[in-house]
Amino acid sequence: MKLWILRHGEAEAHAPSDAQRNLTEHGRGEALRSAANLIGQPISAIIASPYARAQQTAQLVREALGFDPEIRTVSWLTPDSSPLQVLEELDTDDNVLLVSHQPLVGSLISFLQHGHLRQPQPMYTASLAELEGDFPLAGLMSLVSVKNP
C-alpha cells in the first residue's frame, strides 16, 4: 500500500480559533503544486482534518485530481492528535491521502518509519510525504519521498 501525508498549505495567522484559519492565496498555490505530484497515483480515499485549512487543501487536491469520492473528514487528524490513534483509526490497506497539520504529520511519518516519535520528519506547509508498506503499522513503512512545493 501507499500512504501520502500532506500538510495543509500556508494559513492565515489569525482567526477566531485555530480551527477556523483559512488558506492564504500563497497556501492555495502551494496546495495545487503538491497536488500535481499526485496526478496519476492510485488514491482510493482522501481523509482530512476538520480544520478549515486542511479541508480547503483537501478540496483543492480533490478538484485538481478530478477525484470523485467525497473527502472523509475525521476528528483524529487534528494538530494535537496522537500518531498511535491515527494508526488505530486508519484500518485500511488501500492507497490513502491524509491531509493534516504539524506536529502530527511529522510525528506520524517518524512513527510509521521508525516505530518511535523521537525524530519527527520536518514538514513545511504543503509538504507531501509518500510512504510504502504492506500495512500502516509503526516501524513497518518506508519513506519514499518528501516533496516541498
Side-chain angles (χ1 to χ4, degrees), residues 7-8 12-14 16 22-23 28 33 47 58 62 71 88-90 95 110 115-116 120 122 124 127-128 131-132 148:
R7 183 180 175 197
H8 63 80
E12 302 169 323
H14 302 287
N22 291 307
L23 290 179
R28 290 178 153 333
R33 285 191 295 280
I47 306 172
R62 182 176 177 255
I71 295 164
E88 288 172 358
E89 299 284 352
L90 189 65
N95 297 317
S110 175
H116 60 73
Y124 304 103
S127 286
L128 175 67
L131 295 105
E132 285 183 338
N148 300 308

Side-chain angles (χ1 to χ4, degrees), residues 3-9 27 30-38 46-49 53-54 56-62 65 77 96-102 104-106 108-109 123-131 147-149:
L3 180 66
W4 292 272
I5 300 173
L6 176 61
R7 183 180 175 197
H8 63 80
E30 287 179 322
L32 290 171
R33 285 191 295 280
S34 287
N37 292 303
L38 293 167
I46 298 175
I47 306 172
S49 158
R53 59 194 180 272
Q56 292 164 353
T57 298
Q59 188 60 39
L60 287 166
V61 170
R62 182 176 177 255
L65 299 179
L77 283 178
V96 174
L97 169 64
L98 303 178
V99 183
S100 189
H101 316 263
Q102 279 290 52
L104 176 62
V105 293
L108 179 59
I109 294 165
M123 292 288 283
Y124 304 103
T125 53
S127 286
L128 175 67
E130 179 183 348
L131 295 105
K147 295 180 179 163
N148 300 308

Side-chain angles (χ1 to χ4, degrees), residues 75-90 100 103-105 107-109 111 117:
S75 62
W76 42 267
L77 283 178
T78 57
D80 296 321
S81 294
S82 157
L84 184 57
Q85 180 187 13
V86 172
L87 295 190
E88 288 172 358
E89 299 284 352
L90 189 65
S100 189
L104 176 62
V105 293
S107 296
L108 179 59
I109 294 165
F111 196 52
L117 303 172

